[in-house]
Amino acid sequence: MIAPTPRDIPDLPAMPGKPALKPSPVPATAVVAPVPRPAAAAFRLLVALAAAGGVTLDVLLGDPSRALGYFAIQSNILLALVMALSARRAWTASRPLPGAVLGATLLYVAIAALVHHLLLMNEASPFSLTGEAAAAPTGWQAVAHHTLHTLTPIAAVLDWLLLTAPGRLHLRRASTWLLHPLACLAFSLTRGELLLPGTPDRYLYPFLDVDQDGYKKVLGNALLLGLSFYALAILVALDHARPNRLRHRWKTGFRL
């Protein structure tokens, strides 16, 4: 059998359009060596220590079984763990934690701070605290109070804005972030049912007080708060719109 000569091979038709290169599956870290970020690691370690210290003070100075039921305590425990792991990864130039974990942590501490300042401590709110609960804390209790409800939430927002690359939060995760608040709602209502009527702090929050408002109003309050929390998913849009300060100051995280 004789191989065809070049003149016997027909010409192939030209490819329409301009040739496009496919995206490379090789990660950027395989091309550019990762760089440790000691400043980010130090800041995150301080945030983790502050959150852990505030939780420890609050638990030791009060009733541990009651303190651990508060959403602010739970969100700060999560914040301490996430910030400690993020500090280690920034120090060793490892891959950052998944955006779903960072988004949930940021949302929880923001919820805890907003509920505390806008609903519980606001005299104009229908759910403001009364009696001894409304009294300003003093001493170490005041340190724990301001750390958990003001300092650590602000620090978490600053870490997200200044030390985290944009475009890592996704709207499809927003609904799953509400699973923990729903679990806290179920825990609070179950705890109230198990305690005897008249027990102090039977319900941890005024807007969940079944003895005073009944289940219909309490569940309505929970639904309104849940919708408000879901509206905080605007953090996802802000995360994609904000500049990437880690690389290009004015380059946003939007991906078409």
Side-chain angles (χ1 to χ4, degrees):
M1 182 176 181
I2 301 175
T5 60
R7 65 174 178 273
D8 297 328
I9 301 177
D11 294 333
L12 296 176
M15 297 293 293
K18 297 181 179 180
L21 297 177
K22 294 183 178 180
S24 173
V26 180
T29 53
V31 180
V32 180
V35 179
R37 301 167 58 201
F43 177 78
R44 289 169 178 172
L45 182 59
L46 289 176
V47 177
L49 292 175
V55 169
T56 302
L57 283 175
D58 196 81
V59 170
L60 293 179
L61 296 175
D63 182 4
S65 62
R66 180 172 63 89
L68 293 174
Y70 284 107
F71 188 77
I73 299 295
Q74 299 172 12
S75 61
N76 273 272
I77 292 175
L78 177 62
L79 178 66
L81 295 175
V82 169
M83 283 296 171
L85 291 175
S86 297
R88 182 180 182 277
R89 297 198 175 197
W91 182 266
T92 59
S94 302
R95 184 185 297 272
L97 292 177
V101 176
L102 299 177
T105 306
L106 178 63
L107 180 66
Y108 296 159
V109 294
I111 286 175
L114 292 175
V115 167
H116 177 79
H117 290 288
L118 298 182
L119 295 182
L120 301 181
M121 302 305 294
N122 183 8
E123 295 181 357
S125 168
F127 305 118
S128 60
L129 296 175
T130 58
E132 295 182 0
T138 58
W140 288 109
Q141 190 69 48
V143 174
H145 177 86
H146 293 297
T147 298
L148 297 175
H149 297 100
T150 304
L151 178 62
T152 55
I154 292 177
V157 172
L158 290 177
D159 176 82
W160 169 60
L161 289 175
L162 303 178
L163 302 177
T164 306
R168 303 195 60 217
L169 306 184
H170 302 284
L171 190 59
R172 63 178 180 271
R173 301 287 187 182
S175 58
T176 60
W177 293 341
L178 296 181
L179 293 179
H180 180 61
L182 287 175
C184 290
L185 170 65
F187 169 79
S188 180
L189 296 179
T190 303
R191 176 183 180 273
E193 287 297 323
L194 295 177
L195 295 177
L196 296 176
T199 303
D201 297 323
R202 185 183 179 191
Y203 294 97
L204 299 177
Y205 298 98
F207 47 81
L208 298 181
D209 194 337
V210 177
D211 289 338
Q212 179 177 351
D213 300 324
Y215 271 103
K216 183 177 180 180
K217 187 173 181 180
V218 164
L219 293 178
N221 294 336
L223 177 61
L224 291 177
L225 288 174
L227 294 176
S228 301
F229 297 162
Y230 191 79
L232 286 177
I234 191 176
L235 292 173
V236 176
L238 295 177
D239 183 62
H240 286 265
R242 63 192 178 92
N244 189 347
R245 297 184 178 275
L246 299 181
R247 293 185 180 179
H248 306 286
R249 185 174 182 182
W250 300 111
K251 184 178 180 181
T252 66
F254 272 116
R255 297 294 181 269
L256 299 179

